[in-house]
């Protein structure tokens, strides 16, 4: 799957922020709950996307300053459009590995909802984030566990032809941080202490409304690896793939929604 966040991927996620926020609602709630473990006045939201987590923090803590950064201009535009009523949050197009703090902003909480797994050089990225954070700052982020505990990934992978070459397990992408034994030394070598991993299971709502099946089919056809695949297919092949997807999703309709099992980590640490 291409991770062209400054191009097509960023544009499609910016268009779909309502449904992606719905899909990750359980993760947002858990991060907000865990943020209470930290004392903070200035927050940096890394890979903020369309801003849901930044906005929730700013709404709930009007005395806290929140800065959300993302490399996608389209996602930052969407976030800014949602933030006009909140004076304590702002959004910047920025690469987290190069972001520089302002004189009046030294974050004492760095947070991210599934935005940390895409670093080309995670060691350098966490060293840089350590350097721009305040002494004793907290780090709190979510990431996926393995594909086997994420029905969306496993289900879509089963519908698509296998890749010609298996990707490296730690290549930048959704599953890059699935293995705590890989992530922990990266954080510790970058100067982060008290590193913990808490498993989280959550429902990924992919379809809802008056016709949850059509909603889910449209969603899968717009973002993610299946969307990329169907964009290159001839009409008959595309129709066949979507019919197989429909057969996978239809039995999962329950109380007017389609929810797939998701599994992730909530990772926390502190700056030394």
């Amino acid at each position: 799957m291409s991770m062209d966040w400054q191009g097509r991927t960023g544009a499609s996620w910016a268009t779909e922020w309502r449904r992606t926020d719905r899909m990750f609602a359980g993760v947002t709630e858990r991060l907000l709950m865990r943020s209470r473990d930290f004392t903070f006045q200035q927050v940096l939201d890394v890979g903020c996307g369309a801003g849901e987590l930044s906005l929730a923090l700013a709404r709930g803590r009007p005395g806290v300053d929140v800065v959300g950064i993302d490399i996608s201009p389209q996602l930052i535009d969407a976030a800014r459009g949602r933030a006009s009523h909140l004076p304590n949050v702002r959004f910047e197009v920025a690469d987290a590995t190069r972001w520089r703090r302002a004189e009046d902003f030294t974050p004492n909480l760095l947070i991210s909802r599934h935005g940390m797994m895409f670093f080309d050089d995670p060691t350098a990225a966490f060293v840089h984030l350590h350097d721009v954070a305040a002494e004793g700052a907290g780090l709190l982020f979510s990431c996926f566990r393995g594909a086997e505990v994420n029905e969306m990934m496993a289900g879509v992978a089963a519908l698509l032809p296998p890749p010609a070459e298996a990707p490296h397990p730690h290549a930048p992408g959704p599953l890059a941080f699935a293995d705590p034994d890989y992530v922990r030394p990266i954080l510790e070598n970058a100067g982060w202490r008290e590193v913990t991993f808490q498993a989280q299971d959550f429902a990924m709502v992919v379809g809802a409304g008056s016709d949850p099946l059509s909603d889910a089919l449209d969603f899968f056809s717009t973002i993610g690896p299946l969307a990329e695949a169907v964009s290159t297919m001839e009409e008959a092949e595309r129709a066949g793939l979507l019919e197989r997807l429909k057969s996978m999703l239809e039995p999962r309709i329950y109380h007017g929604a389609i929810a797939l099992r998701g599994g992730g980590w909530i990772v926390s640490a502190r700056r030394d």
Side-chain angles (χ1 to χ4, degrees), residues 41-65:
Q41 295 77 43
Q42 297 180 321
V43 183
L44 181 68
D45 183 0
V46 178
C48 67
E52 176 72 0
L53 183 57
S54 293
L55 295 166
L57 283 165
R59 282 193 301 268
R61 295 175 180 257
V64 167
D65 292 326

Side-chain angles (χ1 to χ4, degrees), residues 46-47 81-82 103 124 143 157 164 174 182 194 229 232 252 256-257:
V46 178
R82 304 170 66 188
E103 288 186 8
C143 57
Y182 167 69
E194 303 175 33
T232 63
R252 290 170 166 80

Side-chain angles (χ1 to χ4, degrees), residues 6 29 49 97 105 108 233 238:
Q6 293 173 301
E29 182 179 357
T97 64
F105 187 86
N108 45 20
M233 290 179 176
R238 180 167 60 250

